[in-house]
């Protein structure tokens, strides 16, 4: 049986920032990573979304522009971690305050602590059948 590798999606508008996040994550965690632009998530169906163990979602300065995208991901039970540069309070995005915000440029230790806290737990192997 192959070991479980969590699937992390980095939905980022800036490719170099996505590469920076990928580098930090891969250095600390054995996982699969998909890089894409945030609007590409809108094309993923619910089956594809269910395979995401964590999504780092870039939040624009006006987060109201992506409220529908955020809600769709929440409805699909995708664990989220918001990422942003200045202008957005790291205490949370209005209406989604329970989702943490990682500030760019990333601090490796800080972002990994947030990622490990938000990452969907690995599935547990089925318990052995009771022989009694």
């Amino acid at each position: 049986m192959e070991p479980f590798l969590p699937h992390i999606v980095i939905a980022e508008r800036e490719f170099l920032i996505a590469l920076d996040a990928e580098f930090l994550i891969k250095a600390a965690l054995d996982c699969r990573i998909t890089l894409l632009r945030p609007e590409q998530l809108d094309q993923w169906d619910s089956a594809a979304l269910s395979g995401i163990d964590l999504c780092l979602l870039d939040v624009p300065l006006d987060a109201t522009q992506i409220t529908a995208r955020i809600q769709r991901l929440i409805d699909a039970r995708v664990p989220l971690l918001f990422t942003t540069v200045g202008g957005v309070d790291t205490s949370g995005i209005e209406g989604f305050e329970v989702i943490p915000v990682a500030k760019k440029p990333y601090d490796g230790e800080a972002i990994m602590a947030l990622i490990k806290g938000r990452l969907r737990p690995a599935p547990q192997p089925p318990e052995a059948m009771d022989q009694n």
Side-chain angles (χ1 to χ4, degrees), residues 6-12 15 18-19 21-22 25-26 31-38 40-41 44 48 51-56:
H7 182 205
I8 298 176
V9 170
I10 302 172
E12 171 61 55
F15 185 66
L19 287 177
E22 179 183 36
I25 294 167
K26 283 287 204 172
C31 62
R32 296 174 294 131
I33 294 182
T34 301
L35 305 178
L36 49 79
R37 295 186 50 79
Q40 289 176 290
L41 280 171
W44 287 36
I52 299 173
D53 297 301
L54 178 67
C55 178
L56 278 68

Side-chain angles (χ1 to χ4, degrees), residues 9-12 17 21 38 41 54-60 63-64 66-74 78-85 88-104 106 110-111 114-115 118:
V9 170
I10 302 172
E12 171 61 55
I17 293 173
L41 280 171
L54 178 67
C55 178
L56 278 68
L57 181 61
D58 179 41
V59 177
T64 61
I66 64 165
T67 300
R69 180 177 301 135
I70 295 168
Q71 193 59 56
R72 182 170 176 265
L73 292 168
I74 290 170
V78 175
L80 290 171
L81 173 61
F82 293 142
T83 63
T84 190
V85 293
V88 176
D89 188 356
T90 56
S91 65
I93 305 301
E94 186 175 344
F96 305 101
E97 290 85 357
V98 297
I99 300 170
V101 179
K103 203 83 154 161
K104 302 176 215 172
Y106 302 119
I111 194 164
L114 289 170
I115 287 170
R118 298 293 294 175

